[in-house]
Amino acid sequence: MWMKFRISKVSQLAGKMRRHADSRPFPQRSYSFRFWQPTQAALLARLGSCARHIPGRNFLLRSISPGSLMIPNVLGWNIRGRTLESRLAETGFVGPGFDEVRLAAAITVLLHHAHSSIDDAKADLLFAFSGGFLHFGLLAVLVFFAISGFLVAPGLVRSGKVINYATSRALRIFPALAVVVISSMILVGPILTTLPLPRYFSDAGLPLYVKNILTLTYDFLPGVQLPGGHPAIVNGALWTLHFEVLSYIALALMSVVGILARPRLVLVVFLAAYVLYVANGIFPAFAERLPGRFVTFISLFVYFASGVALSTFRRTIPYSAALAGLAFLILLASLASGAGIVAAPLCLPYLVVFAGLSNLPGRSFIRRDLSYGVYLIHAPVLCCLSIMYPAIQSWLFAALVAMTVTLPLSYLSSILVEQPALTRKKIVAGWIGGRLNLIRSTMVRLVRVQDIGT
């Protein structure tokens, strides 16, 4: 429970705590409180060894032993409740379930694409249940955006170093993406194309596929066609990366202009995105007046912003199974009643974060985060299956084969591409920072020379 106290109340507060030193002690656990900046040193000095200052302008007040100073609940604070922040502290600020949630989301996307490659995409059970608002593939994408907002924002808030943040995000996204795109061009395309290889490599459409490395989606490779003769979408999962990058850019801009440092402004950004999102869904005429790419961006960014808001207010938002259960029931009821667009941005991110902070089954079997590799690689594998083996009529069989191929390739991507790239983020960020400082100093010298000349 976070509380604010005036500096004049410090002596009174500390005195009450010490006068109740012999009261019944609290359970052996830590409690977090937040005070105004001027209050910190004074209160810490008066409370002695029972208080310890930690980053974030808060204190850990703990009972040490039965004979030591106890901190009773003299003011009726509800400090027994767990928050998202306290749960993060319990897990060493590493959510134990996020890898499982991400991998489950990536596999859900794989299953959705396998299903839609064999059957009608509208046959998706969630699509029918939600009245066309949501299908399992989109649900998994929204999970990714909510996780990204929750996990990425705290580091940027703490450091405020946009260059480090941008470098980390770029090394997370682009190396593996580049490998998958180039491999599709030089391996998958030549295998599947109906064109002679010289014509395939000289086709003007081949360089357009390189745009995918920059998240500028282009779906087709020369001569790669479905059995019916229609051009095949080689990797239909890449379209979301463009909007993920835009969300990261928006978060960086929020940091630069000072929004991230002001929780109320973070809430305003989320509410603005939420209102636009709901308005676009309820009033189609309103959405038609806006650029289609902007509408799509808002429909994903609202979940990213919800994750950022949960991270920003994590010190006050409860970590509660009851609250998660209530959010789940509200989400189900809203989807069934056609009000999913109203409840989903509020309920789904909390469910995702709660699951990510929980100890989920299967953690001992997941040593690496394979989700990004699965997300990038599965679609070209399914494309190969659809073209080379058109007789496959079971989407479950297609999904099983695709998963059997995709998981080992994702593991190789993790150990050979993704992890090595991320281990160099400090080096790359330092190099970029050095180059920018050199450019800045050169510009300053040039300006001074010009001033002297005039």
Side-chain angles (χ1 to χ4, degrees):
M1 173 71 69
W2 298 94
M3 308 292 293
K4 289 186 177 180
F5 297 90
R6 297 182 185 275
I7 187 67
S8 60
K9 298 294 185 182
V10 172
S11 298
Q12 179 183 356
L13 174 65
K16 284 186 177 181
M17 290 179 172
R18 289 190 176 278
R19 284 196 299 273
H20 287 77
D22 297 327
S23 301
R24 182 171 56 88
F26 288 133
Q28 297 295 315
R29 56 175 294 187
S30 298
Y31 304 95
S32 295
F33 300 84
R34 186 174 186 177
F35 303 93
W36 286 357
Q37 185 70 25
T39 313
Q40 295 177 7
L43 183 61
L44 189 61
R46 287 171 171 79
L47 292 180
S49 62
C50 68
R52 180 170 63 86
H53 181 252
I54 63 174
R57 297 189 302 171
N58 53 349
F59 295 88
L60 288 181
L61 308 181
R62 69 178 69 201
S63 36
I64 301 172
S65 65
S68 64
L69 177 65
M70 304 301 171
I71 310 298
N73 194 2
V74 295
L75 300 181
W77 301 334
N78 181 24
I79 60 179
R80 293 177 180 272
R82 300 167 76 190
T83 64
L84 299 182
E85 171 79 1
S86 66
R87 176 56 184 166
L88 274 170
E90 291 172 10
T91 62
F93 292 92
V94 179
F98 281 113
D99 284 349
E100 288 96 320
V101 175
R102 279 190 292 242
L103 183 58
I107 292 176
T108 300
V109 174
L110 184 154
L111 294 173
H112 172 75
H113 285 159
H115 182 270
S116 60
S117 68
I118 303 296
D119 297 328
D120 187 355
K122 294 182 180 180
D124 185 294
L125 293 178
L126 184 57
F127 188 84
F129 178 77
S130 64
F133 166 68
L134 190 65
H135 55 67
F136 279 111
L138 180 57
L139 173 65
V141 169
L142 301 182
V143 167
F144 280 124
F145 274 77
I147 290 176
S148 294
F150 183 80
L151 294 183
V152 170
L156 183 56
V157 172
R158 283 193 302 269
S159 70
K161 298 179 179 178
V162 177
I163 293 176
N164 291 4
Y165 160 79
T167 301
S168 177
R169 293 300 87 207
L171 291 177
R172 176 62 176 141
I173 292 176
F174 292 109
L177 176 61
V179 170
V180 170
V181 170
I182 294 173
S183 298
S184 298
M185 294 172 63
I186 66 176
L187 295 176
V188 176
I191 292 173
L192 301 181
T193 186
T194 58
L195 301 176
L197 289 184
R199 187 177 170 188
Y200 170 82
F201 284 106
S202 62
D203 192 283
L206 185 61
L208 295 177
Y209 198 78
V210 180
K211 295 196 304 180
N212 287 301
I213 297 178
L214 301 176
T215 71
L216 302 174
T217 309
Y218 187 79
D219 293 324
F220 310 109
L221 286 172
V224 178
Q225 301 177 349
L226 295 172
H230 299 288
I233 296 177
V234 178
N235 199 334
L238 299 184
W239 69 273
T240 65
L241 298 181
H242 178 70
F243 299 100
E244 184 173 0
V245 170
L246 291 180
S247 297
Y248 291 147
I249 293 173
L251 188 65
L253 292 175
M254 289 168 63
S255 176
V256 170
V257 301
I259 292 177
L260 282 185
R262 297 172 174 83
R264 291 182 180 178
L265 293 183
V266 172
L267 185 60
V268 168
V269 170
F270 165 67
L271 291 177
Y274 176 75
V275 170
L276 274 174
Y277 175 67
V278 174
N280 289 338
I282 296 178
F283 307 108
F286 174 75
E288 291 174 359
R289 297 180 181 178
L290 300 175
R293 180 172 294 184
F294 178 75
V295 173
T296 303
F297 169 70
I298 288 297
S299 69
L300 299 175
F301 178 74
V302 66
Y303 294 89
F304 182 89
S306 183
V308 174
L310 287 172
S311 173
T312 302
F313 294 95
R314 64 186 182 275
R315 297 178 180 90
T316 55
I317 296 176
Y319 171 78
S320 167
L323 184 58
L326 178 62
F328 180 71
L329 293 176
I330 293 174
L331 181 60
L332 281 182
S334 64
L335 291 175
S337 63
I341 196 169
V342 176
L346 304 175
C347 298
L348 180 61
Y350 181 82
L351 288 170
V352 170
V353 170
F354 178 83
L357 294 177
S358 303
N359 293 311
L360 302 178
R363 178 170 172 77
S364 60
F365 299 100
I366 301 176
R367 300 296 183 182
R368 290 182 176 273
D369 181 10
L370 304 181
S371 60
Y372 190 47
V374 171
Y375 189 82
L376 292 178
I377 296 170
H378 78 276
V381 174
L382 285 171
C383 181
C384 290
L385 287 176
S386 299
I387 295 174
M388 299 174 69
Y389 303 99
I392 296 178
Q393 297 298 318
S394 170
W395 72 268
L396 284 174
F397 179 76
L400 179 62
V401 173
M403 198 177 305
T404 303
V405 177
T406 298
L407 287 175
L409 293 177
S410 301
Y411 182 80
L412 292 176
S413 174
S414 175
I415 63 174
L416 299 179
V417 180
E418 299 169 45
Q419 195 61 39
L422 289 174
T423 56
R424 289 166 173 80
K425 60 185 178 182
K426 291 185 178 180
I427 298 175
V428 175
W431 183 86
I432 294 174
R435 300 290 79 73
L436 291 177
N437 288 334
L438 179 60
I439 294 172
R440 188 182 300 110
S441 61
T442 303
M443 295 288 290
V444 170
R445 284 196 297 268
L446 289 174
V447 171
R448 289 176 178 174
V449 170
Q450 290 178 355
D451 291 341
I452 293 173
T454 56

